[in-house]
Amino acid sequence: MVKNEVMVDEIPFPSQFMVNNKPLPLMGHGITDMEIHFLQIKFTAIGVYLDPEIVTHLQQWKGKTGEELTENDEFFEAIVNAPVDKFLRVVVIKEIKGSQYGVQLESAIRDRLAEVDKYEEDEEEALEKIVEFFQSKYFKKDSVITYSFPATSGSAKISCVIEGKEDLEIEVENANVVEMMKKWYLGGTRGVSPTTISSLANNICAELSK
């Protein structure tokens, strides 16, 4: 029997999510945190839902251990670029102003774009819209932010649920910004959550060895 929920740091995540009428299983999960004066401060819990077909695009890593894959950024590059549906569910543990979250996201994406000379006016504009989207929100504990990356396009959809109420969503159509958004959460050794990266590597390793 399939368990319907997986606990990620005491927060329940559905073991699968319906995206475009297709169930995507939870392939990785973890948290974002920081140590301040020897205290672990937890910010968010993360669930990564991927179309199981992704393993057909990752066959060259068959036989590698989860540990080896965790350290392999080319492997995560292949996950980011695989033409399959991807869905991220981020649940707030420590409340945060939307403006703070938006600026964190913006600066991470901007830095990555600047590194590869892809930060132009269009990208700046797309990022401004994202910052604006988060600006007026306040994420209390258990608020949910989701990112939906469809297989067939370079766009993304971000939506929020605050205090159980479905909030607005925003469509991000700049493919460069969308790519770096994926990499913020799925970018291997540079991903924002090492625990999520490790969980993803180990779970996909298990799928590859079937």
Side-chain angles (χ1 to χ4, degrees), residues 10-39:
E10 297 173 20
I11 292 171
F13 276 73
S15 58
Q16 58 180 34
F17 229 91
M18 291 302 282
V19 176
N20 300 331
N21 298 323
K22 192 172 188 180
L24 303 190
L26 180 63
M27 287 267 208
H29 53 76
I31 58 168
T32 56
D33 63 345
M34 186 189 258
E35 204 174 275
I36 301 172
H37 302 309
F38 305 110
L39 275 179

Side-chain angles (χ1 to χ4, degrees), residues 22-25 27 49-55 83-86 151:
K22 192 172 188 180
L24 303 190
M27 287 267 208
Y49 296 84
L50 300 172
D51 186 327
E53 270 178 34
I54 196 158
V55 293
V84 301
D85 287 331
K86 305 173 185 81

Side-chain angles (χ1 to χ4, degrees), residues 26-79:
L26 180 63
M27 287 267 208
H29 53 76
I31 58 168
T32 56
D33 63 345
M34 186 189 258
E35 204 174 275
I36 301 172
H37 302 309
F38 305 110
L39 275 179
Q40 185 195 23
I41 311 287
K42 297 171 185 174
F43 299 110
T44 60
I46 299 163
V48 180
Y49 296 84
L50 300 172
D51 186 327
E53 270 178 34
I54 196 158
V55 293
T56 62
H57 300 278
L58 303 172
Q59 287 303 310
Q60 71 184 88
W61 284 280
K62 206 178 170 78
K64 297 265 188 225
T65 66
E67 211 169 310
E68 286 171 321
L69 293 178
T70 301
E71 299 297 320
N72 189 323
D73 284 347
E74 280 177 24
F75 169 70
F76 284 96
E77 185 85 21
I79 290 177

